[in-house]
Amino acid sequence: YPNPTDGMLTIESNSQGRHSIEISMLNGQVVFVDEMVGNKHLLDLSSFRKGFYFITIESKDYVTTRKIIRQ
């Protein structure tokens, strides 16, 4: 949250531990990779072009992909 975002994006998870974060453009090109430790992480997307992206968050227990909008 917030989504859409104008720069800062907060990611929260119900599970502790390590999570990998990958952001890709609609064409599949990966533009950002990071790792989250714990259950909350703040991402600065202010350098990203405005548009639609996919964010994939993966832990040892699950993988989820969501659409994010950079305003």
Side-chain angles (χ1 to χ4, degrees):
Y1 61 86
N3 190 16
T5 181
D6 60 0
M8 299 307 287
L9 184 70
T10 302
I11 299 171
E12 287 190 39
S13 171
N14 291 331
S15 64
Q16 292 286 339
R18 293 190 180 278
H19 301 75
S20 64
I21 300 168
E22 183 178 280
I23 299 177
S24 58
M25 297 178 10
L26 295 181
N27 66 5
Q29 178 184 358
V30 176
V31 293
F32 182 84
V33 176
D34 199 2
E35 188 173 277
M36 174 174 127
V37 178
N39 65 345
K40 192 171 184 178
H41 195 67
L42 189 63
L43 298 177
D44 183 1
L45 306 182
S46 60
S47 65
F48 284 39
R49 290 178 146 169
K50 294 180 181 183
F52 294 91
Y53 296 87
F54 289 110
I55 184 167
T56 301
I57 302 168
E58 183 175 350
S59 75
K60 64 178 182 156
D61 299 322
Y62 69 90
V63 176
T64 187
T65 300
R66 301 280 193 263
K67 183 171 65 174
I68 55 175
I69 302 168
R70 165 68 172 95
Q71 291 184 324

